[in-house]
Structures are given as C-alpha cells and as structure tokens.
Amino acid sequence: MLGPRQEAQAALFYEFSLEDHIPQNHLLRSIDRFVDLSGIRQYLAEFYSHTGRPSIDPELLIRMLLVGYCFGIRSERRLCEEVHLNLAYRWFCRLDLSDRVPDHSTFSKNRHGRFRESELLRHLFETTVARCIAEGLVSGQRMAIDASLIEADANKQNSTPKENWDTSAIDPTDAPRAVREYLDTLDEAAFGAASEVQPKFTSHSDPASQWTAARKGPAFFSYSDNYLIDTDHGVIVDVEATRSIRQAEVGSTKTMLKRAKEKFDLHPERLIADTAYGTGPMLGWLVERRIAPHIPVIDKAKRAEGIWSRDDFEWDPESDRYICPEGHDLKQFRRNYSDPNRGPTGKGTMRYRALKLTCQACPSKAKCCPDTDTRTINREQDEDARQVARDIAKTRQYDISMKLRKKVEMLFAHLKRILGLGRLRLRGPCGANDEFLLAATAQNLRKLAKVFPAPQQTRKA
C-alpha cells in the first residue's frame, strides 16, 4: 500500500556523528592515516604575528588543499563549497557540522605570504616522502626521471614577439606578481639562465612560461613538471618546476638527485631516463658519481648505410688514437706542438684525423670517407661515459629499466586525467612550483592509501 508522505520535520536536538557516516572504505580514511600535520604550527610559528586577530588554523587549510588535489577539485571557490557540503571532506578537515568553512581568499593570502616564505609545501611533500620511506615503499636503488608539459594560464593573444620584448622597460614596483617572479628567476638555471635562446613569444601575464610546440600540434605556453621517482612502487621522490626546454629539464635532474641525497640519503645505483637525457655532460656527471646511466645515448655519429661509422673504429686509450678497420691510425696530434686546427675545438670535443696520403691510397676509401680527402672522427670529453651507457644498453637489466621507465609516464597520465592538472591555475614560477608540489604530495598519499588501505570494521547491528 502507499505509505505516508515523507516530510522534513525540524527537531530541537540531533544526535549526529560524522564518524558513523563516513564509509570504512572511503579513500580519505586511508589517506588520513598517513597525514601528519602535528608539526605545522611550530614550523610556521615565526611567520605569524604575536598580536592581532587569531588566524585560521594552517592545518585546516592544508587539509582542504589536499582534498582538492586528491580529488581533482581545481577551483578553490568550488573546494570551499564541496567541503561545506560533503561529510567526508568535513571529517577529513576536522570540521564539525556547525563549523564554518574558510573563505576562498584565505588560500591566496596564505600562499603568497607565509606558505611561500616558509617553503611549507616543500616541507609537506618531503614529510610525505619520508613516510613512504618509513613504510618500505622506497629502496633508492633504481630511480627514473622524466618531464611533462603542463599548460600555463596564459594565451597568445596577450603576448609579445621576441623582437619586441624588452625586460628593461618593466617597472618591478608596478608589475604583477608573476612578472616580478619572472624577473627574479632570470639568473636561475631552471628558468632564465637555462638557455640564451629567447622564446618566439612571451606572455604578458606569465612571462616565465615557455612558448612551445613540443606536442607536434598548436603551440601554447607551458611549464615542465619534472619527476624523480623510485621505481619499486612509483613513489615520487622529488619534483621540480622548470621552463619547457630540454636544457632546463636535464639540469633539474642534478638538482633533484642532490636534494634526494641531502634530505633522505638516497643515492641510486642506476638512473633511468629517455633519450633527451643522453647528452655527454649528463652521462659524465652520472658516471662520475657512480650512478649507472640506463639512458639511450644521443649519438649523431651514424653514417649512411654501407659507410663505416665510429663504432667500426677501435679506440686505443693508451696511445690516444683510433684504429680504422684497415689498421691505420687516426690521431689528434702528429707533432710535438699543438696544432690549433687539429686540437680541441673549444666545444668539449677532440678531432682525430688520418693522413691524407693514407686515405687516398686506401682500398676501403669508398666505405670510409667517399666525400672527403681524409676520415675525421670527433670524440667528446665525456666519450668514456657515453661508452658506459652504450655497454649498459646491451644488457638485460637495461631492457627491464626501459619497462620500469613507463611508471613515470603513468604518473603523469594520472596527474592529468585523474587529478585534472592539465592546465595550471596559478601563475609564475612559484605558482607552478606550488601546484606541482601539492599534486605530487597527493599522488604519494594516494599511493600509500592504495598499498596500505584502512582496515575494515564491521558495523554494529
């Protein structure tokens, strides 16, 4: 039979517990077990005034930001609405039903102030990494590095071509925050000093972002999100924001490896990366620190089919010479004094040449140097390290490493598809760094929650 009409009736008293209404298998229950913010107030104490109105608890702001980045809530206005309505979010943020949610403007004031001055978000990320290490998810033996383009909050309509861009005409006192940050990073290796080549266009709203067409489609302004991960469980060990150019991305590798050593005493036995990191100086830097480079070598010495390449020549380190397949020598110097035409080129390479008379009379000239009088081989200063990488590429461990490298790409796919970070919301180098740190923290927390889910409790009858 038809039951009575359901009507809401106001009650004078309610007995309500948030704890009883949050499902035992909810993601936030598992994440909450690994979020330790007990030391944040002490960490930020010196950045608060001793007088004035009591502030909003910084732990509440951090918990709300973690909710936003864990569930892909990109807008802080919407985040405040969701926390106001969602019981699980209130429970995680330690808010009762009657507690008021902070205004969205509070996040901006704290982010541009004490959060950046204290590097709180970096501290939060490193605390999460330390927890992953304590739980046994990080061994530090095998690490992988990669970068992904994240679209900046800028567009071409509000930009200037490189021939019309003049930094001397900018007044720092009257410039927006993102422009002031751009001026401050002109001498940093991750941004302005990464390359002398100026981008084709420079954004007015976010000049530190890079105009790029690396995706083989329409060009756009972007930043590069660089991840250093441990391949055991795909935990992000370090993260760095840079310009979207290869020099800056490769340079960030050194920064992150040094920081991992200083903060967590992690020194990998091998580093896995793609071809973009296979430059001579990068490989030399790794080999010097006894890190095996499982990286494809950038090698432009290959010749046309049927022509001898450098691999066909034998290197004799004791005599500082190459020996061609016919048994002839290619030397850098043939006299007692340095010949500038045959010596170092000044670009970190050495040139080895055979004698002209020898090459002209050689029966294999058509296979060696058909278009030149003599055969020349250029050898980089880091050629020994390049050879180490070539030898590693022939091993079975290298094949395993190339499969493990996909874990970095999977993290970037998760970052963009699940967490929704395909386009930045904050501007400037600091804004990009803040977003990347919070996103990496959220990914590590979700990893901990996946590996160690909250224990299920049976409900009382």
Side-chain angles (χ1 to χ4, degrees), residues 18-19 22 28-29 31-38 57 59-61 63-64 67 83 86-101:
L18 279 176
E19 181 71 28
I22 309 304
L28 286 179
R29 280 195 179 272
I31 289 178
D32 185 64
R33 298 162 54 236
F34 302 103
V35 176
D36 182 12
L37 304 178
S38 57
D57 189 356
E59 180 178 343
L60 169 60
L61 298 179
R63 285 184 174 273
M64 289 181 65
V67 168
V83 172
N86 194 300
L87 295 181
Y89 296 171
R90 278 186 170 271
W91 173 85
F92 181 78
C93 295
R94 307 295 191 261
L95 291 173
D96 201 354
L97 287 178
S98 59
D99 291 334
R100 184 177 178 182
V101 178

Side-chain angles (χ1 to χ4, degrees), residues 193-458:
S195 173
E196 297 180 357
V197 179
Q198 296 297 321
K200 188 175 181 180
F201 293 97
T202 301
S203 170
H204 296 165
S205 58
D206 193 355
S209 61
Q210 179 74 25
W211 178 258
T212 179
R215 290 180 180 170
K216 307 300 180 183
F220 59 97
F221 290 104
S222 71
Y223 285 92
S224 283
D225 188 5
N226 299 270
Y227 275 1
L228 175 68
I229 74 162
D230 185 273
T231 60
D232 288 357
H233 291 86
V235 173
I236 304 170
V237 177
D238 206 348
V239 57
E240 185 79 5
T242 65
R243 285 177 64 187
S244 297
I245 57 175
R246 186 169 59 87
Q247 297 91 324
E249 294 171 357
V250 174
S252 69
T253 306
K254 302 178 182 179
T255 301
M256 291 189 285
L257 285 173
K258 290 178 181 177
R259 196 155 48 204
K261 176 65 175 177
E262 294 173 358
K263 296 291 183 179
F264 310 111
D265 195 26
L266 296 177
H267 186 77
E269 66 178 22
R270 72 177 69 169
L271 182 71
I272 308 168
D274 58 24
T275 312
Y277 298 83
T279 62
M282 184 72 243
L283 296 174
W285 188 87
L286 292 173
V287 172
E288 182 181 352
R289 285 156 181 78
R290 298 183 179 180
I291 301 176
H294 287 234
I295 305 172
V297 180
I298 298 177
D299 196 349
K300 299 180 180 180
K302 297 295 182 182
R303 297 294 187 96
E305 187 176 355
I307 305 300
W308 288 340
S309 64
R310 182 169 53 189
D311 295 340
D312 297 315
F313 291 73
E314 181 184 352
W315 168 246
D316 183 3
E318 296 181 359
S319 302
D320 189 23
R321 63 173 180 169
Y322 278 98
I323 304 174
C324 76
E326 292 288 348
H328 304 300
D329 295 342
L330 284 78
K331 295 184 177 181
Q332 186 178 184
F333 306 113
R334 295 185 180 273
R335 303 179 182 177
N336 294 330
Y337 57 90
S338 175
D339 185 350
N341 292 328
R342 298 188 179 184
T345 61
K347 299 181 180 180
T349 60
M350 296 164 285
R351 185 176 291 120
Y352 292 81
R353 292 180 178 175
L355 290 174
K356 181 178 180 180
L357 294 176
T358 302
C359 288
Q360 293 297 329
C362 181
S364 301
K365 185 178 186 302
K367 298 180 181 179
C368 184
C369 51
D371 301 326
T372 58
D373 293 335
T374 62
R375 179 59 188 262
T376 302
I377 293 180
N378 291 332
R379 181 180 177 85
E380 295 188 11
Q381 289 182 345
D382 298 298
E383 190 62 31
D384 292 338
R386 288 160 59 91
Q387 189 59 45
V388 170
R390 292 191 191 99
D391 295 338
I392 291 175
K394 301 174 183 178
T395 63
R396 182 176 176 273
Q397 288 78 8
Y398 178 84
D399 296 333
I400 297 175
S401 296
M402 291 300 101
K403 295 178 181 179
L404 293 174
R405 190 181 64 83
K406 296 180 180 179
K407 291 190 176 184
V408 195
E409 299 173 358
M410 292 169 61
L411 283 170
F412 286 132
H414 179 268
L415 176 72
K416 296 177 182 181
R417 293 177 180 269
I418 307 301
L419 303 189
L421 191 61
R423 179 185 173 95
L424 292 173
R425 186 175 51 81
L426 306 180
R427 293 174 175 172
C430 292
N433 191 59
D434 289 350
E435 291 221 59
F436 294 161
L437 283 170
L438 280 169
T441 302
Q443 287 183 291
N444 281 345
L445 288 173
R446 289 175 66 110
K447 178 69 67 176
L448 284 165
K450 180 180 179 180
V451 178
F452 305 106
Q456 302 298 306
Q457 299 178 359
T458 57

Side-chain angles (χ1 to χ4, degrees), residues 37 40 44 48 55-68 79-80 93 101-111 114-115 120-121 124 438:
L37 304 178
I40 279 187
L44 292 174
Y48 283 89
S55 68
I56 296 176
D57 189 356
E59 180 178 343
L60 169 60
L61 298 179
I62 293 299
R63 285 184 174 273
M64 289 181 65
L65 286 174
L66 289 177
V67 168
L79 174 62
C80 293
C93 295
V101 178
D103 188 76
H104 66 88
S105 61
T106 306
F107 292 99
S108 298
K109 293 180 181 179
N110 283 275
R111 181 191 305 111
R114 56 182 64 93
F115 282 9
L120 175 64
L121 299 183
L124 176 66
L438 280 169

Side-chain angles (χ1 to χ4, degrees), residues 11-25:
L12 185 60
F13 299 103
Y14 288 94
E15 183 178 353
F16 188 89
S17 172
L18 279 176
E19 181 71 28
D20 296 336
H21 287 76
I22 309 304
Q24 293 295 322
N25 61 350

